[in-house]
Each structure stands twice: as C-alpha cells, then as structure tokens.
Amino acid sequence: MKHSSLVALAFILFACKSKEPADLLVRNAVIYTVDTGFRVMQAMAVTDGKIVATGPEKELMARFSAKEELDAKGGTIVPGFNDAHAHFLGYASSLRTVDLTGAKSWDEALARVRDFAAKNPKGWIIGRGWDQNDWPVKIYPDKSALDRMFPDRPVFLERVDGHAVLVNQAAIKLSGITPASTDGGGSVEVKNGAMTGILIDNAISGVSKVIPEADTAAVIASILAAERNCLAAGITSITDCGLSLPEMRLLEKLITTNRLSLKLNVMLSDSEENIDWILKYGPYEKGNLLVRSVKFYGDGALGSRGACLKHDYADKPGWKGFLRKDSAYFAAMAGLLAGSDIQMCTHAIGDSANKVILQVYANVLKGRNDKRWRIEHAQVVDSIDRRYFGDYSIIPSVQPTHATSDMYWAEARLGATRVKTAYAFKDLLGQVSWMPLGTDFPVEKIDPLRTFYAAVARKDTAGYPAGGFQVENALSRQEALRGMTLWAAQGSFEEGTKGSLTPGKVADFVILSQDIMKAKEDQILTTRILATFINGKPRYKAPQ
C-alpha cells in the first residue's frame, strides 16, 4: 500500500515537472481561431506574448503549467480587431475639437460651436463631423452665422468625410485665400460673387496650413485618450491612412517608449518628402510600428460631390466631380513605386476615379502579383471595371458602414441604376478572394461591431431597411470576421504574425459578451467588449 502511494506521488511529481511552461492559459472559452479551417477551440496557451498552442481544454491543461490561468467562463474569443482603414491621429485630434457628428440641423451644429467656444475662449475654433445630408434642408451652410458670432476669431469646421470645410471670414482673412485658391482638384464655393466659406478638397489646404500647431503635450494626451477608446472597442491594430513624417515620428516615439500599445501600420501621405523617405528607408519597422505604404488621393467624397464620376451627378446636372490630380501624376507615382516593396494605396470613390486608378495600376503591375496595391474605399465601381481587381491582384479596402451611412441619399447622387454599382462588397470580394475591412473613423463610429453588423446585415443601427440595403452584396459572418482580422493583417503583409489565433502568432485577442457568429442578427450590436489583450497582456477590461 505504501509502495503504491509512493509510485502515485512520483508519477504526479513527474507529470508536473514534465509539463511545458506557459505564461498564460486561457480556458473554458469559445475561441474562433480564424485559421484556414475557421476552427473553434476551447483553450489557448501563450508564452512571451505569442500563442504556443490551441486545442481542447483538457489537453492543454494536461500539457502546460501556466503562471496565470484565465477562465473565460464560456465567453467568445476572437482575434483582436484590426481596423484596415482609419485615421487614428485624426481621431485623436477630434478629441480636442468641437464634435459636430450627429447634428440634426445647422442650428444644432452652431449651438455646439457656441458652447465649445465659451469653454475654450482662445485661439481657433476647430470642429468636425457636420453632414448636410442629415439636415431637413440638405444644402451646404454658409459662413454668415459664423461671421456674426465670431467676427474676429477664426473658425474651421470640417464636414464628416474631411473633404469639405466651412470657414468664416476671419479664417479667410488670415489665410488670404481667394476663389482661385485651388489647383483644379478642389473648389471654393462662390455665390453672388462672394465666397460662402465652403472649401472642397485641395482648396482646404489654403486655410489649414495657417492653423497653429497644437501643444505637444495636448497632442500626446489626446493620442493616449484615443488609444483607450480603441482598446475599449476591441481594436488592437490600426492602419492610419495618410500621415506626415513628423506625425509618424511622434507615434514611433510613443511606441518605443512603451506609452502606446496599439499596433500601427502607417500610410504616409502623398508628398515628395514622404515618398523620398520611404523609398530610402522602407519598409520600415520599429516595435509595433510598420511603415510600408503611401496613400494617394484620387478624388473626393460622394457626400460633398467631390467623387469623380463617369457621368453627371443625378442631383447636380453638368457636374461630375473631379480628380485631385491628373492621371499622369498617378501614373508617374505608380512607375516610381513599382520597382520597390512599397504599397501604393489610393483613395478612389467615384466610378471614374476608380477606373483611372485601376488602369494606372494595371499598366505597371502587368498581371497577377503579390504587391498588394490597394484601392481605399472602392465605393462606386462600374461593373465593367471590377475585373481589374482580379486580373492585377489589386486589393479593395472597404468600409461597410459607409454603405449604411450613405444609403439614405446615395441614390439621389447616383441614380437608381448606378447606385447598384456602389458598395458592392460581395462582388469585389469575388474578384480577389480576400478583402480588408475598416471603419474610416472618425468619419464613421469607432466601433468594429458596427462594421461587422453593416457587412452582414446591410442595415443601420435601428435595423433599417428591413430587408437590408442592396443585401445581395452582404458578406457572410466568416467573411466579415476574416476581413476585420486576418485579411486586414494580410492587407499590410502582416498575416504571418497576427490576424488569427494560431501557434506562432501574437496573442492579440478580444473577449466578447456573446457569440457574434451565432447571435441573432438584431442582437449583434448588443455585444459588449469584456476584455482586450495585446501580446497576451490585458490592455482593457470592461467595468463590472
């Protein structure tokens, strides 16, 4: 009897010593790995910030001795959400300005500006988020009210898409702009011989360049606040679209000094300085920062009628929008980047802009390839032009919530026939078999769950329309989740290190309050983010 007890004890000690060490063992979970087979596991082991195993709970508990165990209590775990197209620094900046998103009238927007100005009595008044399409009278505002309210204080209010602004006379006077202050890729609105204060696309820089730079400490504080909001939304990685070198350097400093834990893929904006730098030093990687792409700007936005269309706007005869620069410029840039490992990523919304950029890409790519050049938005693409995506391995980077934000007025802009070629995500996916998804925040809400819901339901948050908007282009739940995780990583050549919960990849994951792969459609948006982990470390935990 005594001998048997000693043998049993020895076996237990041997078994304990023979277990593999791990830093964290996650168990009692429903883990969507988003691997090739879209397998679902019960447990996951993490060491040094990376996943070392996934599998049945009993198997992993027998195999590993972990410093820490996390009982998920049957909760759903997915890879950390990777926003494939956003404006992280722009969002951070918006936290220091007056928020005009959701204003239901110009009067409501003015009231918000007045309140902000009273609390912030000095300097420029900066705001963002107004959208005349949400107002009873769906026309651009003019500067008259702002001139009365702020005769000596400059005001700069960006439209929700960032492609139009309203400025007052004080801002016009400081900047010195005139009706001719555009190079053709934008416009200065004039009525009865006087500027209304509306500036579109390239005309905006005439004013924006004279706005004083914000205090560095305030900028950093807003960046850290923006990160907290992203983590609370389950976001672990972001592609920040269109930054300057100084902006990129600031993010690099925050990352390398461990003040910022988000993983950032930065697209530098289209400038000679940025392109010269990235061709010399890119692809550039420092910690959680990756810089390997340049963002170009093909046209404007549909909401401000700056998107470049093949035929007239249905609600503005004689007007087709415009390219931000001529096609020869984009062709020259494509030729310059073609011999490098740098991605060319171009904003294109209108069907004419999409055709121009697709043809520019095709002329240098020559055929199928793995350069992963991207069209950002690919919003209105003529059906005869979609083949370019598949024939030349061009990646459509789309934002599902744009469809559900624009659906109320998109047909008025495009007409009943042409609107069917817009927001055609399923058709675009069929061309390339994978497609990164983003939010475009702060143009849209920061919430990735809205991206998921818009992609699969094609409805707004109130469940409108009942049958879904052009529901033939809805994505499956698997496709939507892949687009927000693995395919988003693939969009920046990072699928080997993140995007799925598989051995060898980083342990970036999110715990959800319910299973979004099985929840009833009308319950998806009730899902809460319970916790967000980066490299196996908790970065957000929902308050109890």
Side-chain angles (χ1 to χ4, degrees):
M1 192 69 163
K2 185 176 181 181
H3 176 72
S4 298
S5 298
L6 289 173
V7 170
L9 178 61
F11 178 79
I12 292 170
L13 291 173
F14 176 78
C16 291
K17 288 181 179 179
S18 66
K19 283 187 176 183
E20 298 176 39
D23 295 327
L24 173 68
L25 181 64
V26 182
R27 61 181 183 84
N28 190 17
V30 178
I31 302 173
Y32 286 95
T33 63
V34 193
D35 63 5
T36 303
F38 211 82
R39 292 181 297 172
V40 181
M41 300 296 186
Q42 296 176 318
M44 175 171 61
V46 177
T47 298
D48 295 330
K50 293 185 177 181
I51 299 165
V52 292
T54 62
E57 180 176 327
K58 288 184 178 180
E59 180 181 306
L60 265 63
M61 291 191 71
R63 177 179 167 186
F64 292 97
S65 175
K67 297 176 183 177
E68 184 179 356
E69 284 190 11
L70 172 61
D71 182 355
K73 299 179 181 178
T76 297
I77 292 178
V78 297
F81 295 127
N82 185 337
D83 197 318
H85 183 111
H87 302 277
F88 176 66
L89 274 192
Y91 172 66
S93 175
S94 74
L95 299 179
R96 307 191 301 275
T97 62
V98 54
D99 182 9
L100 302 176
T101 54
K104 297 302 181 184
S105 67
W106 176 226
D107 286 341
E108 182 181 341
L110 286 173
R112 294 189 193 184
V113 172
R114 186 185 298 111
D115 291 345
F116 179 87
K119 297 173 184 176
N120 301 271
K122 294 182 180 180
W124 283 64
I125 299 170
I126 310 295
R128 178 168 180 155
W130 60 270
D131 185 353
Q132 81 282 4
N133 294 312
D134 292 339
W135 301 343
V137 180
K138 303 181 187 303
I139 60 174
Y140 282 141
D142 63 39
K143 65 185 181 66
S144 56
L146 295 176
D147 288 344
R148 290 192 299 271
M149 293 165 62
F150 309 103
D152 303 310
R153 190 174 178 189
V155 181
F156 182 97
L157 306 179
E158 274 191 296
R159 190 179 182 278
V160 65
D161 56 19
H163 288 270
V165 302
L166 176 66
V167 297
N168 67 345
Q169 188 61 34
I172 290 172
K173 183 178 179 180
L174 280 172
S175 66
I177 65 168
T178 71
S181 297
T182 173
D183 62 4
S187 62
V188 177
E189 188 177 77
V190 175
K191 286 186 178 179
N192 301 320
M195 288 187 285
T196 67
I198 290 290
L199 312 175
I200 298 176
D201 287 311
N202 291 0
I204 296 171
S205 62
V207 177
S208 61
K209 68 184 180 183
V210 302
I211 299 175
E213 291 187 8
D215 175 73
T216 301
V219 171
I220 292 174
S222 67
I223 290 172
L224 299 181
E227 180 187 51
R228 289 193 292 272
N229 293 344
C230 288
L231 293 172
I235 298 172
T236 57
S237 293
I238 298 172
T239 293
D240 200 347
C241 299
L243 299 188
S244 67
L245 281 172
E247 289 171 329
M248 182 274 285
R249 290 298 192 191
L250 176 58
L251 291 175
E252 178 184 22
K253 182 178 180 180
L254 293 175
I255 286 171
T256 56
T257 56
N258 297 317
R259 298 187 68 184
L260 200 62
S261 58
L262 281 171
K263 296 177 179 178
L264 298 176
N265 169 45
V266 168
M267 292 181 186
L268 293 179
S269 59
D270 167 20
S271 74
E272 184 176 353
E273 177 189 18
N274 290 348
I275 293 170
D276 287 346
W277 182 89
I278 201 169
L279 286 174
K280 183 176 181 179
Y281 297 106
Y284 180 83
E285 192 167 2
K286 187 68 73 71
N288 287 340
L289 176 73
L290 173 65
V291 188
R292 67 168 303 150
S293 55
V294 180
K295 184 187 177 186
F296 295 84
Y297 304 84
D299 63 348
L302 194 63
S304 53
R305 297 187 184 86
C308 189
L309 301 179
K310 291 183 176 182
H311 305 287
D312 291 357
Y313 276 77
D315 57 358
K316 191 175 182 181
W319 179 252
K320 295 183 176 66
F322 46 77
L323 291 176
R324 298 283 293 271
K325 294 183 178 178
D326 63 38
S327 59
Y329 175 79
F330 296 114
M333 293 299 100
L336 184 64
L337 296 179
S340 74
D341 291 327
I342 304 305
Q343 288 174 281
M344 186 168 181
C345 305
T346 307
H347 166 116
I349 288 190
D351 52 9
S352 180
N354 272 284
K355 181 178 180 178
V356 168
I357 301 303
L358 287 166
Q359 289 182 333
V360 163
Y361 283 12
N363 288 339
V364 297
L365 294 175
K366 304 300 183 186
R368 293 185 181 274
N369 60 85
D370 193 36
K371 297 186 76 65
R372 305 186 197 181
W373 285 15
R374 296 165 47 153
I375 299 289
E376 303 300 320
H377 309 305
Q379 201 160 296
V380 188
V381 183
D382 194 320
S383 56
I384 66 173
D385 296 325
R386 288 179 195 153
R387 66 173 183 83
Y388 285 99
F389 289 97
D391 291 349
Y392 297 94
S393 305
I394 299 167
I395 308 306
S397 167
V398 305
Q399 300 76 45
T401 50
H402 282 338
T404 53
S405 291
D406 298 357
M407 63 184 175
Y408 313 104
W409 47 263
E411 185 172 332
R413 292 283 192 278
L414 298 171
T417 300
R418 188 167 45 184
V419 75
K420 292 296 184 181
T421 69
Y423 319 99
F425 305 143
K426 190 75 167 185
D427 289 342
L428 291 171
L429 177 61
Q431 291 292 328
V432 291
S433 77
W434 64 277
M435 184 170 65
L437 305 182
T439 63
D440 203 14
F441 74 76
V443 176
E444 300 283 357
K445 297 289 187 182
I446 201 171
D447 185 2
L449 291 171
R450 290 194 180 204
T451 298
F452 185 84
Y453 178 73
V456 303
R458 305 276 291 200
K459 299 177 183 178
D460 65 15
T461 56
Y464 174 87
F469 170 66
Q470 299 183 177
V471 73
E472 67 275 10
N473 268 297
L475 303 180
S476 72
R477 297 195 191 201
Q478 278 199 23
E479 290 165 347
L481 187 56
R482 287 189 189 278
M484 298 164 63
T485 55
L486 183 61
W487 291 344
Q490 195 171 343
S492 54
F493 288 88
E494 296 180 280
E495 73 275 16
T497 59
K498 63 183 181 182
S500 62
L501 300 177
T502 52
K505 294 191 179 184
V506 292
D508 297 350
F509 61 93
V510 179
I511 304 178
L512 305 175
S513 64
Q514 66 175 332
D515 189 339
I516 60 173
M517 304 304 292
K518 295 180 179 178
K520 292 181 179 179
E521 185 181 274
D522 62 0
Q523 291 299 303
I524 290 173
L525 291 178
T526 67
T527 308
R528 293 184 301 115
I529 306 298
L530 300 182
T532 303
F533 283 70
I534 294 180
N535 295 337
K537 300 292 184 182
R539 297 299 181 185
Y540 168 79
K541 185 177 181 181
Q544 298 296 320

